[in-house]
Amino acid sequence: MCPQTRKNVLKPFRYTSCCTLQASHSPMTTSAASLPEALTAQILQHVPQQQRLQQCALVCKAWASAAALATIHVQQKLKPGQATSAFESWLQKYAGQPESLELSCSDWNTQPQLRLCSLAKLQRLRLQGLKLLLPGQEEGSDACACVGTNCPAPLLPSLQHLELSSVQLASSSSLVQLAAGAQGLTSFRTRGITIGQVEFRCVVSHMDDSQKPAVQQMAAAITGLLQQLPRLAVLELLGFPVSDAAMQQLGGMQGLQEVSLEHVDHMPMCKLQHLPSSVTQLHLQGNSLQTEAFARPSMPPQLQQLAGLLRLELRSCAVPPTVLGAFTRLQVLKLASCTLLPAPDDVDDEEVVFETEGTAALLDVLAGMTCLQDLELSLRGLDTVSTAPQRFSALTASTQLTRLAVDPYSSTPLAKGAARHMFPAGRQLPQLHELTIMPDDAGSDWPLTQWCIDSADIHSIASCCIGLQTLDLGHSVRPGAEV
């Protein structure tokens, strides 16, 4: 081919290639910008939130609007010292979009400030490690310009789930204002709340006369909060004082299903009888710093109205076995750092307590709990010496067990021979995947001659629990036993 012919052939090839690239680029840009906003938002939902709200939103105004429309579930983790002003501006601009908002700070000591605005569609709100200001509040103030129903519009009219963890509020009335602006709440969880500069978990644990007015004011605020939330199904008040009036208010909530209360040593346990029969999950926590058994809050001997309980968790409480007798439908029972009654009044933390009568009553109750899936016993006053080994078969009375943890505060983890009655030949616990009996970190202060599990017991456990995934027998295995 001559040079002139080659030149004529290459010219149209170059021209065609250039036209093809130009034609394929221009229509793509035009079609992306002209997509319906709803369709663009649906596509952008598959893009990570940070990239969607930053890079994608900068393409054009249509994409910025679509990115906001796509962001109905907002998650933001703040770095220590990071300001929230930009986030507040975005939140106010697109207040009608988010359905869930989760904002947290990794350093709770800094507690960045968040001014909450009215969010019409918000259904779920979770705040952690922040200083929260409501409409009408200023930093450092202890009052609201609008409280309760005096606000021009509900703050969070669609909110159903609220969780506050390590959050600082301006005043106790902030809780009432939140409740008044979100009367459709069905779930309210709070722990580690600070009012002004006072953390109520610490105040209630070590209350003196100078702090009593603040505690009483907060107790009144809790009662006012409950009055605003007639649809409540889940209530978690960890670190707050609960008055008699508040307990009576709970008694009228027939839709209440889950209740978690802390510092019950400042609330007479008999007030639990006000809880409605609709409650299926109950978590009570006493003062974990109180080591004396006689000073721990004691459960009432009977709670017949809670016969429908499915989950019961008690921590740092005194437990009479009779109260457990009505809970035959329990699926989860956790007694952590609890004292088994009856116990002498002069028991200290170092003294070993043997209560044969209480242990026998507890085992009789457990034998009737055939629906248990998770059983955890960490008890003072459990008699593992005088109680007959065969009675401990009650610990595995439920064939539905998936987890069993036994950690008594006594000289031996279990009575000698108890394991072979818990896991006899032919017994099948196919769903049990975690078994713990006196873990390694529980200590080894008992006489070394009283190990309770040998190689035969280990083989029995293996034959009964074919699905076992975690086995922690700690110091309870006799030296030389083959695992």
Side-chain angles (χ1 to χ4, degrees):
M1 181 181 296
C2 65
Q4 184 64 30
T5 306
R6 175 185 292 179
K7 187 176 181 180
N8 293 336
V9 172
L10 292 179
K11 274 186 177 179
F13 178 79
R14 290 174 179 170
Y15 179 78
T16 304
S17 176
C18 182
C19 288
T20 303
L21 290 175
Q22 185 177 1
S24 62
H25 177 73
S26 181
M28 182 183 296
T29 306
T30 304
S31 60
S34 61
L35 283 176
E37 184 183 61
L39 181 57
T40 307
Q42 187 175 357
I43 296 173
L44 292 179
Q45 285 181 357
H46 301 281
V47 180
Q49 175 185 296
Q50 185 175 359
Q51 183 179 352
R52 180 198 316 138
L53 293 178
Q54 294 181 3
Q55 289 91 339
C56 294
L58 294 177
V59 173
C60 60
K61 291 184 178 180
W63 275 46
S65 178
L69 184 63
T71 311
I72 59 176
H73 304 292
V74 183
Q75 290 183 325
Q76 183 75 21
K77 293 184 178 180
L78 301 175
K79 299 178 181 179
Q82 181 178 352
T84 59
S85 54
F87 180 79
E88 289 178 356
S89 299
W90 183 92
L91 200 61
Q92 292 177 359
K93 184 176 180 180
Y94 300 104
Q97 297 302 133
E99 295 181 6
S100 69
L101 171 59
E102 181 175 341
L103 190 61
S104 61
C105 179
S106 57
D107 184 5
W108 296 351
N109 294 323
T110 60
Q111 286 191 317
Q113 176 181 298
L114 173 69
R115 185 177 299 278
L116 193 64
C117 61
S118 179
L119 302 170
K121 293 184 179 180
L122 198 67
Q123 300 177 16
R124 183 181 297 271
L125 175 61
R126 184 177 183 270
L127 302 178
Q128 186 175 18
L130 300 172
K131 181 187 298 183
L132 181 63
L133 292 181
L134 303 179
Q137 290 181 335
E138 298 297 335
E139 185 176 6
S141 68
D142 59 355
C144 302
C146 59
V147 177
T149 55
N150 294 328
C151 295
L155 184 62
L156 305 167
S158 302
L159 195 66
Q160 299 179 16
H161 306 277
L162 174 60
E163 182 175 346
L164 303 177
S165 179
S166 298
V167 170
Q168 181 179 351
L169 300 175
S171 67
S172 58
S173 62
S174 300
L175 288 174
V176 182
Q177 183 181 356
L178 268 175
Q183 296 189 3
L185 268 182
T186 60
S187 175
F188 179 64
R189 298 180 182 274
T190 178
R191 62 182 69 190
I193 297 296
T194 301
I195 303 297
Q197 300 298 324
V198 179
E199 183 179 356
F200 265 82
R201 175 170 296 187
C202 299
V203 169
V204 179
S205 299
H206 306 86
M207 183 171 58
D208 55 35
D209 292 338
S210 63
Q211 296 168 326
K212 286 183 178 180
V215 172
Q216 293 172 355
Q217 184 179 8
M218 176 55 68
I222 295 298
T223 304
L225 178 144
L226 296 177
Q227 291 174 349
Q228 301 282 352
L229 305 176
R231 303 178 184 177
L232 208 59
V234 178
L235 175 64
E236 182 179 285
L237 289 174
L238 299 184
F240 284 101
V242 181
S243 64
D244 294 352
M247 292 302 299
Q248 293 178 1
Q249 188 70 34
L250 290 178
M253 296 182 176
Q254 296 304 317
L256 200 61
Q257 300 177 11
E258 181 179 344
V259 178
S260 299
L261 302 175
E262 190 179 6
H263 298 302
V264 288
D265 48 337
H266 292 275
M267 176 193 71
M269 280 287 205
C270 61
K271 301 302 180 182
L272 294 175
Q273 296 176 351
H274 291 296
L275 291 177
S277 58
S278 57
V279 174
T280 59
Q281 300 186 44
L282 180 60
H283 173 209
L284 301 174
Q285 180 167 322
N287 187 351
S288 58
L289 300 178
Q290 189 64 266
T291 58
E292 294 83 0
F294 66 89
R296 293 174 178 265
S298 177
M299 293 280 290
Q302 298 293 334
L303 286 174
Q304 298 291 346
Q305 87 280 12
L306 300 182
L309 272 184
L310 301 178
R311 185 183 188 98
L312 176 62
E313 297 186 32
L314 304 176
R315 179 175 293 274
S316 301
C317 297
V319 185
T322 52
V323 72
L324 303 176
F327 309 146
T328 56
R329 297 173 55 186
L330 277 180
Q331 298 176 2
V332 177
L333 174 61
K334 295 185 178 183
L335 307 179
S337 301
C338 289
T339 301
L340 184 64
L341 296 181
D345 291 344
D346 57 349
V347 173
D348 58 35
D349 195 37
E350 302 298 330
E351 184 178 352
V352 174
V353 182
F354 296 131
E355 291 294 336
T356 307
E357 181 182 351
T359 301
L362 174 65
L363 294 175
D364 287 342
V365 168
L366 293 177
M369 294 184 180
T370 57
C371 298
L372 277 179
Q373 300 175 14
D374 189 344
L375 175 60
E376 178 181 329
L377 299 179
S378 176
L379 292 167
R380 290 176 173 85
L382 192 66
D383 184 359
T384 62
V385 176
S386 304
T387 304
Q390 58 266 28
R391 300 197 68 136
F392 286 90
S393 62
L395 298 178
T396 56
S398 172
T399 58
Q400 302 181 44
L401 274 179
T402 61
R403 177 178 177 269
L404 174 60
V406 184
D407 181 15
Y409 289 81
S410 61
S411 61
T412 57
L414 289 177
K416 288 184 178 180
R420 65 197 60 180
H421 292 283
M422 294 168 57
F423 306 98
R427 177 69 165 168
Q428 292 297 314
L429 298 170
Q431 301 182 52
L432 188 64
H433 61 77
E434 182 179 344
L435 175 61
T436 302
I437 299 178
M438 188 60 75
D440 288 329
D441 59 356
S444 55
D445 296 334
W446 61 87
L448 299 182
T449 58
Q450 299 198 14
W451 289 289
C452 67
I453 294 179
D454 55 23
S455 57
D457 295 325
I458 294 175
H459 287 299
S460 298
I461 293 173
S463 62
C464 292
C465 311
I466 56 175
L468 204 60
Q469 299 176 8
T470 303
L471 177 62
D472 187 357
L473 301 178
H475 297 289
S476 58
V477 179
R478 184 182 301 278
E482 298 178 0
V483 180

